Amino acid sequence: MFTEEQHELRDGIAPFCDTINEGHIERDARGEFSHDAWKLLRGSGILGLPFGEEWGGLGQDLVTTMFVLEGLGQGCRDGGLLFSTTTHIVSTGVPLARFGSQELKDRYLPAICDGSLIGAHAISEPGSGSDALAMRTVAKKVDGGWVLSGSKTFISNAPIADVIVVYARSDPNGGPLGITTFLVDVGSPGLSIGQPIAKMGMKTSPMAEVFLDDCFVPDANVIGRRGMGFLILDHVMKWEILLSFVVNTGEMAHRIERCVSYANERHQFGRPIGANQSVQNRIVDMKIATETARKWLYDTAEKLQRGETITTDLSIAKLVASEANLSTAIAAVNVFGGNGYMAEYGLEQDVRNAVGGTIYSGTSDIQRSRIAAMLKLPTH
């Protein structure tokens, strides 16, 4: 399915993963983002995978980018760092490359590609969550630019970000056409970052609130045109789901490898635990869930590259992949038994990390509602 060149790109990530993995359990316990690990990722070139060579990227298509990131997920055990990586690529690079002006791309994309600037995006708000159209952050037009006022929450990478893509309502009566997208430097007057938010999993990917108090953004920093925010967000969310969850399929594949090895090595009652049909069934179900998620993600990406509508496919892919990640993480803990419950094995961390995937990028309930709507089931 994949070419020799694609495999070479993916295989080139492995040496970086070995170093990144050192001390990852301790970093998770401390909730610490590793700037040293980020430097390694910068050196690998992975941050510029889908972006043009004119900006220092590798110029790869969506499917190739996914394939390499899947390899990163399989080799790298720092789940929070992986999430910060996909957030950086998707939040800032993707909307800039697709919708940004030439001047804006020239100014920011090289630093996004090489990771010298870290990106985030501010979408969710305290009162709206998955309902992006209910956002209350306001963008008011003034001479030479815009003034942004409001607050955002659950912003991954916010405590370490240099630039943040902010979605704000530029027309109170515009509905989906009333949102505009802005690229905001973190040092801009009026923008402030809250204290890091403690959370259940992905602790090495820092999160915080973002506050906008009459924050001025020049016209040149508008991504796309006024009122294009919802269209940009729709494009970004497709990439976010496909890239974030293909990383999880790599993590799931690694989890299966560990379980197979452990089931052969661990003996109970005079034989390997893998000889028990219940253990075999659990691992087989892990394999089926992983391959099902993988197929949905890649098939959906290929449809997107062909220009086909993927509304239903994307929701199914996100739902299947996020729930497979959680179910396989819990199954792995059960295969390892008491050892799986101990932090030193890293499997309880997998469970905590996986819970987030059923919530971010649209909850599982939201995905089911979207699929129901596409099936034309009654809404009232």
Side-chain angles (χ1 to χ4, degrees), residues 9-18 20-21 37-38 40-42 44-47 49 64-86 89 243-244 246-252 254 298:
L9 277 170
R10 177 164 164 156
D11 293 343
I13 298 300
F16 297 92
C17 293
D18 293 339
I20 289 170
N21 289 339
W38 185 259
L40 288 170
L41 289 175
R42 290 182 59 188
S44 75
I46 200 169
L47 300 174
L49 266 171
T64 302
T65 298
M66 289 173 62
F67 184 62
V68 177
L69 287 173
E70 183 186 12
L72 182 66
Q74 192 164 2
C76 179
R77 304 280 59 81
D78 189 338
L81 179 68
L82 296 176
F83 190 69
S84 282
T85 299
T86 56
I89 293 170
L243 265 56
S244 296
V246 83
V247 168
N248 291 158
T249 65
E251 293 176 304
M252 287 186 260
H254 174 80
Y298 279 105

Side-chain angles (χ1 to χ4, degrees), residues 220-367:
N221 279 45
V222 173
I223 299 177
R225 297 189 302 275
R226 176 176 183 168
M228 281 185 65
F230 191 74
L231 174 65
I232 295 170
L233 180 58
D234 179 67
H235 177 75
V236 166
M237 292 308 296
K238 290 171 183 173
W239 277 73
E240 177 172 293
I241 289 171
L242 294 171
L243 265 56
S244 296
F245 290 97
V246 83
V247 168
N248 291 158
T249 65
E251 293 176 304
M252 287 186 260
H254 174 80
R255 206 171 290 148
I256 293 169
E257 292 170 3
R258 289 191 67 187
C259 285
V260 169
S261 177
Y262 191 81
N264 280 290
E265 295 170 0
R266 176 70 166 171
H267 282 67
Q268 290 280 300
F269 306 105
R271 63 177 185 170
I273 63 170
N276 296 308
Q277 190 170 18
S278 59
V279 174
Q280 293 177 358
N281 289 347
R282 182 169 278 128
I283 296 174
V284 168
D285 286 345
M286 291 172 68
K287 177 67 172 177
I288 293 169
T290 300
E291 294 302 328
T292 301
R294 192 173 187 273
K295 181 169 176 55
W296 269 106
L297 289 164
Y298 279 105
D299 285 358
T300 301
E302 288 171 356
K303 280 188 174 183
L304 180 60
Q305 287 195 160
R306 293 194 298 266
E308 298 177 25
T309 299
I310 62 165
T311 305
T312 301
D313 303 74
L314 192 69
S315 287
I316 294 174
K318 197 274 176 180
L319 186 63
V320 168
S322 62
E323 297 196 348
N325 192 29
L326 180 56
S327 68
T328 60
I330 293 172
V333 170
N334 279 280
V335 169
F336 276 68
N339 287 331
Y341 198 70
M342 300 298 108
E344 66 178 289
Y345 282 78
L347 294 171
E348 60 82 31
Q349 180 189 144
D350 283 1
V351 175
R352 291 186 285 103
N353 290 348
V355 170
T358 65
I359 299 170
Y360 63 75
S361 302
T363 67
S364 290
D365 289 342
I366 290 288
Q367 304 306 330

Side-chain angles (χ1 to χ4, degrees), residues 139 146 148 164-168 180-184 217 221-223:
W146 298 78
L148 275 53
I164 301 178
V165 173
V166 178
Y167 294 81
T180 300
T181 308
F182 305 88
L183 183 63
V184 188
V217 182
N221 279 45
V222 173
I223 299 177

Side-chain angles (χ1 to χ4, degrees), residues 31-33 80 83-84 87 120-121 124 152-161 164 193-211 356-357 359-361:
E32 176 187 290
F33 175 82
F83 190 69
S84 282
T87 296
H121 57 182
S124 297
K152 301 286 186 175
T153 192
F154 308 137
I155 311 306
S156 296
N157 284 1
I160 56 171
I164 301 178
I193 309 295
Q195 292 299 309
I197 300 171
K199 51 183 176 173
M200 179 180 185
M202 295 186 293
K203 293 184 175 183
T204 58
S205 176
M207 172 185 285
E209 291 181 287
V210 173
F211 303 99
I359 299 170
Y360 63 75
S361 302

